[in-house]
Amino acid sequence: MTILLAYLISFFIGFLTIHAILQDSKMMKAPLRLSLSLGLGLGISSILTFFSFLMFNGFHRFTVIGINIVCLLALSFFCYSKKKLPSFENFFTKNIFRPSSIGLILGGAILSGCLYFLFQRYPFGGWDAWALYNTKTKFLILNGADWTVIFDKLHPYTQPDYPLLLPFINTWIYAVAPGPIHHITLATAFVFTLNSGFLIFAGLYQFTRKRIAFLASFLLLLIPHFILLGSSQYADILLAFYLCAATILTMLTIREKNDSIAILAGLVMGLLTFTKNEGIVMAILLTGMICLYLVFEKIKNQTDLGGLRRLLSRFFIGLIVTFSACLIFKLFLAPPNPDILPGTGIKNFEFLNLKGLTITLSAVIAEIVNLKWGLIWCLILFMVLPRFSEFFQKENKVITFFFLTYFCILIFIYLTTINFDLSWRLRSTLSRIYFYLLPSILFFCCYVCFKNDPTST
């Protein structure tokens, strides 16, 4: 049970961070605060652990614990000094101990127990878990001052250039609760999978009716293939969670034009970059879309640009704080990725043609109708088609163009495949792409179709 203490410490770090930023603001409802608290807190603990490795050259258990405890105490003191320390008694009385909330908690507890039982049947995760992410976790914990061998001495298959948010989360958990590492990696995968479902509920509860929010989150956690990939212990589940959180906070930032929400959006966007290389691309795209939308809206409405500058400056402050870990990692530790823009002539791209495009689009369509997804993608298409034009209106266009641009990038990456068979690569990776995009797309489609305020700007 000691392992729960690590998650609780991270949860309160995240909760107090959000409270210090938002204070008594009513713009973010309780479920969204709770879900983001756990994800943000674990992300901050991971970054603090990463910086402890840089400062003290390796894993020092009590140093890692001490830095996180100091962070927790500093946040508590800051809130206390501002006379804004959260009243947990009022918070839980008003938001948790209500009949509807109690019923939701009981249902969630039963679902959590069933999911944890399923996770126990896959204790060591998938291939990339033990060959990549969990291997790096073991080297971080057990290799002392030689922890940097993960960048230049391990087999290239371990992807030494991949960001390390997941391994450092598990290293932080191990510092608090030493034990079999596979128990920790399983618990982290379970926590993020369950919290992804709760985040769908929390995000939609923020904007839509409770029954819509509950139904969407319930459907997500009933998809067998989503649970299978969630239990695989890959960084994909972190990518899924933080992308969905970034999507929700993007919509909230644009709707509310609030500086505090913008800081939170920036913090989450920075954590997204430290999940996988794909997260870096997503953060760049989404940040660009936000900036373009806000600038053009201000120009179109001919309003004062002072508020826009303040909003974007707050966003970039939050972004820089958490993006700093990925930036240091990429500049000073990670080797270059040989698969990105390889030095080869266009004549060597055998799939950069109509044949390759046909193979890729056929695989994309086949994955949509694959029964392992429980027809959730067909349901999403059923929601999108009748309201297709609404996805290009007002704030919706930010997320719509983000997904369309990212889809085009993915198609280009597949078409420029070298040294692999394209069909094999699609079979090996496409389902994982659908997996980490699903929570965000499900939230966004439900948001567009069922949001409470159709006049938002």
Side-chain angles (χ1 to χ4, degrees):
M1 297 298 289
T2 312
I3 195 172
L4 293 176
L5 179 61
Y7 294 109
L8 281 174
I9 292 172
S10 292
F11 169 80
F12 283 113
I13 287 174
F15 187 87
L16 289 173
T17 299
I18 293 174
H19 187 78
I21 295 171
L22 297 184
Q23 298 183 10
D24 293 328
S25 172
K26 306 298 183 184
M27 283 180 294
M28 184 176 290
K29 296 181 181 178
L32 187 54
R33 284 200 185 211
L34 292 174
S35 181
L36 290 176
S37 293
L38 183 56
L40 181 62
L42 284 170
I44 292 173
S45 292
S46 176
I47 288 177
L48 291 174
T49 305
F50 170 67
F51 281 118
S52 79
F53 271 67
L54 296 180
M55 290 185 293
F56 301 101
N57 195 29
F59 178 68
H60 300 278
R61 181 187 173 200
F62 292 106
T63 300
V64 172
I65 295 173
I67 290 175
N68 280 272
I69 294 298
V70 167
C71 179
L72 179 61
L73 293 176
L75 287 166
S76 301
F77 178 78
F78 176 82
C79 292
Y80 177 78
S81 66
K82 297 293 184 180
K83 301 187 184 302
K84 295 297 183 180
L85 198 65
S87 173
F88 290 103
E89 180 180 356
N90 291 337
F91 180 84
F92 285 102
T93 300
K94 292 180 180 179
N95 299 292
I96 304 298
F97 298 122
R98 295 185 298 181
S100 58
S101 298
I102 292 174
L104 182 64
I105 291 171
L106 290 176
I110 294 172
L111 179 61
S112 300
C114 295
L115 290 180
Y116 193 73
F117 172 76
L118 294 176
F119 272 59
Q120 291 285 356
R121 299 178 64 184
Y122 204 30
F124 298 101
W127 175 276
D128 278 3
W130 60 264
L132 198 162
Y133 301 109
N134 297 352
T135 294
K136 292 181 180 180
T137 301
K138 293 172 184 176
F139 272 88
L140 292 176
I141 293 171
L142 303 174
N143 224 42
D146 293 328
W147 65 280
T148 54
V149 298
I150 63 177
F151 306 120
D152 54 17
K153 298 292 178 62
L154 299 187
H155 192 280
Y157 180 80
T158 62
Q159 303 290 355
D161 69 299
Y162 270 28
L164 296 172
L165 187 69
L166 178 57
F168 275 111
I169 286 177
N170 289 327
T171 301
W172 149 244
I173 303 300
Y174 181 89
V176 178
I181 293 176
H182 71 276
H183 289 173
I184 294 170
T185 57
L186 182 149
T188 299
F190 171 75
V191 165
F192 272 98
T193 301
L194 187 65
N195 200 22
S196 294
F198 184 54
L199 182 63
I200 292 287
F201 170 83
L204 290 174
Y205 183 77
Q206 181 77 27
F207 300 109
T208 68
R209 298 185 299 276
K210 184 184 295 185
R211 66 180 64 182
I212 297 297
F214 175 77
L215 180 60
S217 61
F218 188 69
L219 285 175
L220 181 73
L221 294 178
L222 283 183
I223 299 172
H225 199 61
F226 184 84
I227 300 305
L228 173 65
L229 290 177
S231 65
S232 296
Q233 303 175 24
Y234 299 162
D236 296 339
I237 186 58
L238 273 67
L239 187 62
F241 176 85
Y242 288 111
L243 175 60
C244 187
T247 302
I248 293 169
L249 288 173
T250 294
M251 305 309 290
L252 196 56
T253 299
I254 292 174
R255 284 169 61 111
E256 300 293 342
K257 307 291 194 302
N258 180 270
D259 297 346
S260 298
I261 299 294
I263 293 174
L264 279 180
L267 288 173
V268 170
M269 205 79 74
L271 291 175
L272 180 63
T273 65
F274 207 36
T275 55
K276 293 183 70 176
N277 287 336
E278 291 92 325
I280 300 173
V281 176
M282 291 173 173
I284 292 172
L285 286 178
L286 199 49
T287 297
M289 298 293 178
I290 293 171
C291 293
L292 286 174
Y293 175 81
L294 291 175
V295 169
F296 281 119
E297 281 296 302
K298 285 291 184 179
I299 294 174
K300 184 177 70 173
N301 297 328
Q302 297 183 342
T303 55
D304 179 34
L305 295 179
L308 171 64
R309 286 194 294 267
R310 187 173 60 253
L311 185 71
L312 291 179
S313 67
R314 299 299 190 277
F315 172 82
F316 281 104
I317 287 172
L319 177 64
I320 291 170
V321 168
T322 47
F323 176 62
S324 59
C326 182
L327 185 63
I328 292 172
F329 170 78
K330 285 293 186 180
L331 289 179
F332 302 108
L333 295 172
N337 190 324
D339 295 328
I340 296 177
L341 297 179
T344 182
I346 193 169
K347 64 180 181 180
N348 294 321
F349 291 116
E350 62 175 302
F351 301 109
L352 191 58
N353 48 45
L354 183 59
K355 175 185 175 182
L357 182 62
T358 302
I359 294 173
T360 303
L361 293 181
S362 298
V364 168
I365 296 171
E367 192 72 21
I368 289 174
V369 298
N370 196 313
L371 293 179
K372 67 185 180 185
W373 292 108
L375 298 180
I376 187 70
W377 292 106
C378 295
L379 176 62
I380 288 173
L381 286 175
F382 181 76
M383 287 193 297
V384 169
L385 293 177
R387 296 174 175 265
F388 184 75
S389 62
E390 293 183 29
F391 285 82
F392 295 88
Q393 297 174 6
K394 300 177 181 177
E395 76 272 13
N396 301 341
K397 65 170 72 79
V398 174
I399 306 300
T400 300
F401 282 117
F402 162 74
F403 282 123
L404 289 176
T405 305
Y406 187 69
F407 175 77
C408 292
I409 291 174
L410 289 175
I411 295 297
F412 177 76
I413 290 173
Y414 277 122
L415 294 183
T416 54
T417 295
I418 59 172
N419 302 324
F420 297 103
D421 177 69
L422 178 58
S423 297
W424 174 86
R425 190 180 189 189
L426 287 163
R427 288 195 305 271
S428 302
T429 61
L430 197 57
S431 65
R432 290 172 61 175
I433 294 172
Y434 277 64
F435 167 75
Y436 65 65
L437 291 177
L438 178 57
S440 304
I441 292 178
L442 180 60
F443 160 78
F444 179 56
C445 291
C446 291
Y447 168 86
V448 173
C449 295
F450 303 109
K451 62 183 175 181
N452 292 327
D453 183 14
T455 63
S456 62
T457 58

